[in-house]
């Protein structure tokens, strides 16, 4: 196996993921535990989502960590951002057993660094290299770690999120929460209730078979949430993915709020009182720039991936910039005053605060944003470099942003063509001020791409 093939063979954009019993096994989890325990010392917090395979994988991972000489604190079933918060407060690192939005048969591991961010590429490659080389620290009898449990430590996260807003800010407000049978069943309803909201729930019992809907909160899967919002006269409904780092919304009429519009509204809420730098990937809607201009903010673009965004936010802040907001337009905003990761519970809480500040309902606020139109296409091809070269040549007289793939910026539209890092396809995103603007640029980009080789 070459070094290049070894590079991030296991770790993807957000940790290791695979189908349980085939790619993701207790044996792999134990080896990851041994490798991580050889790289990071001290006490490692282990959390998990509600998947049926969670306990087996958590025990295996913990066995590896203990054998390598680390202590383990089992924090139980918690959202990924809750684990991230607790690691930053109390632990030397963390490991989250989750497959995020993937279907029930999947599971995986996200490694959390002492500052609460997810492990970056270089450290993930180092961890993999240790794993493949079986270069493990194996403690002697008097060096093996101890395991403790802290099943109620998550209360600190609930208190921190609710405590980030003025007391009682949600009083008089009714909300509906759909944690999707995942770990936020314990946290988001509690956070919103503590803010003063009347809270109703759907799919709010831990269940790794996901009987109500899949872990990915699609508009179709959220029909029961939308129905309960209408039935209870709620101000909004919020739903999470399988590990609750993302949050998506339906408005008071039960209509799904497109995630880029969610991002823009929350950005407006944060930036209108505190201008500064907003950090987001090149795939985010230009609504971000519209809101930035209106609130006296600037936008810095990064490559796609929440870890890249979070680390860029930390780096720019370390350079002395006032970084006020960031994240991804997929239900994954980052509130740096709270922590540098996507946080679904915090996103839900921020929506309460946003709506508490006025009498305009969520639907009216969303309608107040420009009605930009986004087109998305997945192009199956192994010929990624060729496609990029043809697009670059066709738009040679246009300033191109090559932060991640190629982004073409025109006055009334923009497009992004970006290769998948692991599979044989490319993603094309086109956004226009109108449908006609989007379609015109889409036609030009598609003509430049031609018929790529499968
Ligand atoms: Mg997730």
């Amino acid at each position: 196996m070459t070094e290049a093939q070894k590079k991030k063979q296991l770790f993807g954009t957000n940790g290791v993921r695979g189908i349980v019993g085939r790619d993701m096994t207790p044996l792999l989890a134990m080896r990851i535990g041994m490798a991580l325990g050889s790289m990071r010392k001290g006490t490692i917090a282990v959390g998990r989502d509600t998947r049926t395979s969670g306990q087996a994988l958590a025990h295996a991972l913990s066995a590896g960590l203990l054998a390598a000489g680390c202590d383990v604190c089992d924090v139980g079933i918690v959202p990924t951002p809750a684990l991230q918060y607790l690691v930053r407060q109390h632990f030397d690192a963390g490991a989250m057993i989750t497959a995020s939005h993937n279907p029930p048969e999947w599971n995986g591991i996200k490694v959390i660094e002492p500052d609460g961010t997810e492990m970056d590429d270089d450290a993930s490659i180092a961890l993999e290299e240790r794993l493949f080389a079986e270069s493990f620290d194996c403690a002697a009898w008097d060096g093996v770690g101890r395991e403790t449990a802290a099943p109620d430590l998550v209360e600190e996260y609930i208190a921190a999120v609710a405590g980030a807003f003025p007391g009682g800010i949600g009083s008089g407000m009714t909300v509906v929460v759909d944690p999707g049978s995942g770990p936020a069943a314990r946290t988001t309803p509690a956070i919103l209730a503590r803010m003063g909201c009347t809270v109703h729930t759907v799919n709010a019992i831990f269940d790794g078979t996901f009987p109500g809907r899949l872990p990915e909160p699609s508009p179709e899967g959220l029909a029961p949430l939308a129905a309960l919002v209408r039935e209870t006269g709620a101000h909004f409904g919020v739903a999470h993915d399988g590990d609750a780092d993302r949050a998506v919304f339906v408005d008071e009429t039960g209509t799904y709020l497109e995630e880029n519009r969610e991002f823009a509204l929350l950005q407006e809420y944060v930036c209108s009182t505190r201008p500064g730098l907003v950090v987001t990937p090149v795939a985010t809607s230009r609504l971000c720039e519209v809101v930035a201009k209106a609130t006296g903010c600037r936008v810095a673009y990064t490559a796609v991936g929440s870890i890249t965004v979070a680390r860029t936010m930390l780096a720019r802040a370390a350079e002395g910039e006032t970084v006020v907001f960031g994240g991804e337009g997929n239900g994954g905003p980052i509130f740096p005053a709270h922590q540098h990761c996507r946080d679904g519970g915090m996103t839900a809480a921020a929506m309460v605060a946003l709506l508490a500040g006025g009498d305009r309902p969520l639907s009216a606020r969303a309608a107040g944003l420009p009605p930009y139109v986004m087109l998305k296409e997945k192009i199956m091809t192994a010929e990624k470099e060729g496609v990029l070269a043809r697009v670059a040549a066709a738009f040679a007289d246009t300033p191109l942003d090559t932060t991640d793939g190629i982004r073409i910026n025109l006055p009334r539209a923009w497009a992004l063509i970006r290769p998948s890092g692991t599979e044989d396809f490319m993603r094309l995103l086109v956004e226009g001020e109108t449908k006609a603007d989007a379609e015109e640029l889409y036609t030009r980009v598609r003509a430049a791409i031609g018929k790529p080789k499968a």
Side-chain angles (χ1 to χ4, degrees):
M1 190 187 299
T2 65
E3 284 303 305
Q5 284 171 318
K6 267 190 196 171
K7 270 192 179 175
K8 290 193 62 171
Q9 191 180 302
L10 295 170
F11 281 73
T13 313
N14 292 94
V16 182
R17 281 188 215 165
I19 299 208
V20 171
R22 193 185 75 188
D23 321 303
M24 179 46 68
T25 62
L27 189 58
L28 176 61
M30 189 192 70
R31 285 152 58 88
I32 290 172
M34 293 201 76
L36 177 61
S38 306
M39 288 169 64
R40 303 278 184 272
K41 295 302 171 190
T43 304
I44 317 293
V46 175
R48 58 189 164 91
D49 66 17
T50 58
R51 287 165 200 273
T52 52
S53 54
Q55 272 182 317
L57 294 172
H59 287 313
L61 179 94
S62 297
L65 288 165
L66 295 166
C70 289
D71 290 329
V72 168
C73 181
D74 175 9
V75 298
I77 293 177
V78 294
T80 298
L83 180 70
Q84 292 176 284
Y85 179 82
L86 295 176
V87 165
R88 195 157 62 90
Q89 298 297 321
H90 300 288
F91 300 105
D92 298 299
M96 178 74 192
I97 313 287
T98 180
S100 189
H101 61 272
N102 289 101
E105 61 270 29
W106 288 66
N107 213 337
I109 298 170
K110 290 180 176 179
V111 178
I112 311 301
E113 295 287 18
D115 66 359
T117 59
E118 283 179 59
M119 188 174 253
D120 68 9
D121 284 351
D122 288 346
S124 300
I125 290 165
L127 192 152
E128 289 192 3
E129 281 174 355
R130 260 187 193 274
L131 193 152
F132 290 126
E134 305 221 328
S135 168
F136 303 135
D137 292 351
C138 218
W141 70 276
D142 54 354
V144 175
R146 284 179 59 235
E147 181 169 352
T148 53
D152 296 325
L153 203 55
V154 69
E155 294 296 328
E156 284 188 21
Y157 163 78
I158 293 169
V161 175
F165 301 91
I169 192 170
S171 62
M173 209 181 269
T174 301
V175 296
V176 185
V177 181
D178 177 355
S181 311
R186 176 150 183 206
T187 52
T188 299
I191 290 165
L192 302 185
R194 201 169 293 196
M195 294 173 78
C197 299
T198 299
V199 182
H200 300 281
T201 58
V202 56
N203 300 320
I205 295 170
F206 289 166
D207 190 336
T209 67
F210 304 100
R213 65 167 173 87
L214 289 173
E216 173 66 26
S218 67
E220 304 73 47
L222 302 188
L225 172 71
L228 194 55
V229 163
R230 285 189 295 265
E231 214 173 285
T232 58
H235 289 69
F236 67 84
V238 59
H240 297 297
D241 72 324
D243 66 335
D245 53 357
R246 289 192 293 131
V248 300
F249 295 89
V250 297
D251 68 19
E252 78 285 357
T253 71
T255 304
Y256 192 80
L257 177 65
E258 196 274 323
E259 295 97 317
N260 276 290
R261 304 179 82 72
E262 166 195 336
F263 188 85
L265 289 177
L266 291 166
Q267 178 193 347
E268 190 175 36
Y269 163 69
V270 172
C271 295
S272 57
T273 52
R274 190 158 180 254
L277 188 68
V278 174
V279 181
T280 196
V282 285
T284 301
S285 164
R286 206 179 254 175
L287 287 171
C288 177
E289 287 179 30
V290 172
V291 172
K293 204 171 166 204
T295 53
C297 289
R298 289 162 299 119
V299 179
Y301 286 107
T302 69
V304 171
S306 66
I307 306 179
T308 307
V309 176
R311 289 183 179 279
T312 304
M313 292 172 78
L314 282 165
R316 298 292 285 260
E319 288 163 11
E321 292 197 64
T322 306
V323 182
V324 291
F325 188 75
E328 299 181 307
N330 62 0
I334 297 174
F335 300 86
H338 168 56
Q339 61 175 347
H340 284 86
C341 62
R342 298 178 297 182
D343 187 331
M346 184 66 191
T347 303
M351 184 60 82
V352 170
L354 182 164
L355 292 171
D359 49 14
R360 282 165 71 218
L362 182 52
S363 63
R365 288 173 188 264
L369 293 167
Y372 290 177
V373 175
M374 199 180 268
L375 310 173
K376 299 180 184 182
E377 190 178 359
K378 190 169 167 179
I379 300 168
M380 304 308 295
T381 177
E383 197 210 346
K384 299 174 193 175
E385 290 305 321
V387 167
L388 289 177
R390 292 203 291 279
V391 171
F395 290 87
D397 54 354
T398 312
L400 300 177
D401 181 337
T402 54
T403 303
D404 192 351
I406 294 176
R407 177 162 163 154
I408 303 152
N409 284 306
L410 300 180
R412 293 179 57 85
W414 62 271
L416 176 72
I417 178 84
R418 196 173 73 85
S420 159
T422 50
E423 290 173 74
D424 287 341
F425 68 85
M426 302 182 80
R427 288 190 193 280
L428 174 61
L429 264 182
V430 186
E431 186 182 54
E433 292 189 8
T434 64
K435 192 159 178 261
D437 292 328
E439 281 172 351
E440 188 192 332
L441 180 55
Y442 170 82
T443 306
R444 284 181 62 195
V445 176
R446 216 52 188 89
I449 292 171
K451 275 214 171 78
K453 295 188 193 83

